[in-house]
Amino acid sequence: MATGVERFVERAAARGLEVVPREFPEGTRTAADAAAAIGCDVAQIVKSLVFVADGRPVLVLTSGANRVDLDRVAAQLDATEVRKATAAEVREATGYGIGGTPPLGHDTDLAVLLDADLTRHPVVWAAAGTATHVFALAPDELLSATDAVPAEVADEAG
Ligand code: 5CA
């Protein structure tokens, strides 16, 4: 296994979450790629997106079917300015690259919001540390392993 996935599996275990990674050599870099590889609905894919809110990185776990509404994230966090993190900021905050960023097990302790739409599915799939590894879990497990706050963060059109 690649380093990123091993590191993630260990860190998840330390949080009480047993991760069984699945590898898809064709790639799971985007939500659409992951859904096609897995054969699930794109709405069941967890996008682990990093934003910077008033200078502080935060993680927004978003359904693959949705776009994040920055104003809603700002309101949730009581922040004035929210923007998408750069690729370098994602690496710095999480220790993982874009396309493989997992929902937990990061290098720094991030506040986490979870798109309430993800709770509609019995099983969701998230990146497991690389752009070719994913894992399945129940939304409840995702909530407890990340200490996330469920929130309405999606664009109304999303
Ligand atoms: N492996 C899949 C899901 S299992 C995954 O990681 N999807 S993702 O949505 O969380 O990661 C891709 C996201 O990274 C894109 O939606 C986009 O928001 C973001 N992204 C892609 N390129 C860049 C970039 N150059 N700078 C900042 N963000 C980027």
Side-chain angles (χ1 to χ4, degrees):
M1 280 197 287
T3 311
V5 67
E6 287 171 357
R7 187 160 34 115
F8 171 62
V9 169
E10 279 173 21
R11 289 184 183 181
R15 288 294 311 246
L17 182 69
E18 191 195 340
V19 167
V20 180
R22 296 251 332 249
E23 183 170 17
F24 292 95
E26 66 268 41
T28 53
R29 176 167 295 278
T30 66
D33 293 343
I38 296 160
C40 71
D41 194 299
V42 73
Q44 289 174 266
I45 301 297
V46 180
K47 299 191 285 190
S48 300
L49 302 177
V50 180
F51 293 86
V52 180
D54 291 346
R56 190 171 58 109
V58 297
L59 185 71
V60 183
L61 303 177
T62 310
S63 165
N66 290 342
R67 287 176 57 89
V68 169
D69 181 328
L70 295 183
D71 291 337
R72 286 184 157 183
V73 173
Q76 281 291 329
L77 299 170
D78 209 9
T80 306
E81 191 218 33
V82 176
R83 63 172 174 82
K84 199 160 197 176
T86 64
E89 286 169 332
V90 172
R91 169 77 63 184
E92 168 86 24
T94 70
Y96 299 87
I98 281 175
T101 308
L104 65 146
H106 305 127
D107 283 2
T108 69
D109 203 14
L110 299 169
V112 186
L113 298 178
L114 180 135
D115 179 352
D117 284 354
L118 284 169
T119 64
R120 294 183 190 174
H121 308 279
V123 170
V124 295
W125 292 81
T130 83
T132 54
H133 291 89
V134 290
F135 71 106
L137 77 176
D140 277 358
E141 294 177 294
L142 186 58
L143 275 168
S144 58
T146 58
D147 291 326
V149 177
E152 299 292 340
V153 291
D155 201 311
E156 293 202 313

